[in-house]
Amino acid sequence: IFVLVCALGITILIRGQRLDDRTQLGLEVLTGVFLLIYLLSNKEEYLYNVTMFYYLDRVHRKVTKSFVVAMLVTGILLQFVAPGQEAREFFIIYLIIAYLLISIKLILGRPLIKMLEEDRAPRTAFAGKKEEFIKFCYFLEKTSIPVKMIGYIAMKRDEYEADPEEYLGCLEDLEQ
């Protein structure tokens, strides 16, 4: 929401002075409709599911699909709300800025949030084999679940004794 509102503000700064008050109000309402359709389309794509795996290409494709759906619907409505050339130019510039800001947020947002929330994530130790731990961590990184992994615990003593530097300890040692 914040990104799309910022895009509207930037567009108003760039092209807003050329519009009369009625046309500008109509375009602001139209961008509100765009925002609503975009959010509902994202919800339909399950983008707000907290445990969804985050593959940047897949998320970007779903966001782009939602953006195109909202753009097409509001593009049709634009002809009725503000049919003038200035209004079309304003709306096209808004769409370009909005898509650029959304793409930047997708690329930079997740690493920034992970960096800022690193101290608040619960410390976690995993029990199991090292190979399973590595595979599990790969998938866990693709979710929105914040976890600070401190290591892994061997299920059996012989796994731990074979490679004590790799494990925090053995499951049998936790009872002590």
Side-chain angles (χ1 to χ4, degrees):
I1 296 175
F2 178 73
V3 171
L4 294 175
V5 171
C6 286
L8 177 62
I10 293 168
T11 308
I12 289 173
L13 287 175
I14 294 171
R15 302 290 289 202
Q17 61 274 24
R18 295 184 180 181
L19 302 171
D20 60 72
D21 291 341
R22 184 174 179 272
T23 303
Q24 186 165 342
L25 179 62
L27 287 169
E28 289 171 1
V29 169
L30 190 64
T31 56
V33 171
F34 176 87
L35 175 66
L36 180 64
I37 294 169
Y38 176 73
L39 291 175
L40 290 175
S41 185
N42 279 344
K43 184 179 184 314
E44 184 65 27
E45 293 287 336
Y46 299 104
L47 284 173
Y48 303 123
N49 186 347
V50 176
T51 59
M52 185 181 95
F53 290 130
Y54 189 87
Y55 294 101
L56 183 60
D57 60 330
R58 295 175 191 172
V59 172
H60 196 264
R61 184 174 54 239
K62 289 180 177 190
V63 165
T64 300
K65 180 182 174 188
S66 297
F67 191 88
V68 168
V69 167
M71 179 182 69
L72 291 174
V73 172
T74 53
I76 293 168
L77 293 175
L78 177 64
Q79 302 307 313
F80 301 105
V81 174
Q85 179 66 26
E86 291 89 14
R88 280 192 292 267
E89 289 174 4
F90 178 93
F91 199 65
I92 289 170
I93 291 171
Y94 166 73
L95 292 173
I96 292 168
I97 292 171
Y99 190 75
L100 287 173
L101 291 178
I102 288 169
S103 296
I104 290 169
K105 181 201 165 279
L106 277 174
I107 294 167
L108 299 179
R110 186 170 176 87
L112 184 64
I113 288 171
K114 280 191 173 252
M115 185 177 69
L116 294 173
E117 290 185 353
E118 188 174 16
D119 295 337
R120 290 187 266 160
R123 293 173 37 137
T124 307
F126 297 93
K129 296 181 180 179
K130 180 182 175 186
E131 298 80 29
E132 293 171 353
F133 171 75
I134 292 169
K135 186 175 180 180
F136 180 76
C137 289
Y138 170 77
F139 288 112
L140 190 63
E141 279 292 314
K142 301 290 182 185
T143 68
S144 301
I145 303 168
V147 173
K148 187 174 187 176
M149 296 170 272
I150 59 172
Y152 40 94
I153 300 167
M155 296 294 283
K156 299 178 182 174
R157 180 162 302 283
D158 59 333
E159 292 173 358
Y160 172 67
E161 290 173 353
D163 202 1
E165 292 88 34
E166 292 288 323
Y167 294 96
L168 295 173
C170 178
L171 198 57
E172 296 167 6
D173 296 337
L174 289 178
E175 296 174 4
Q176 295 177 1

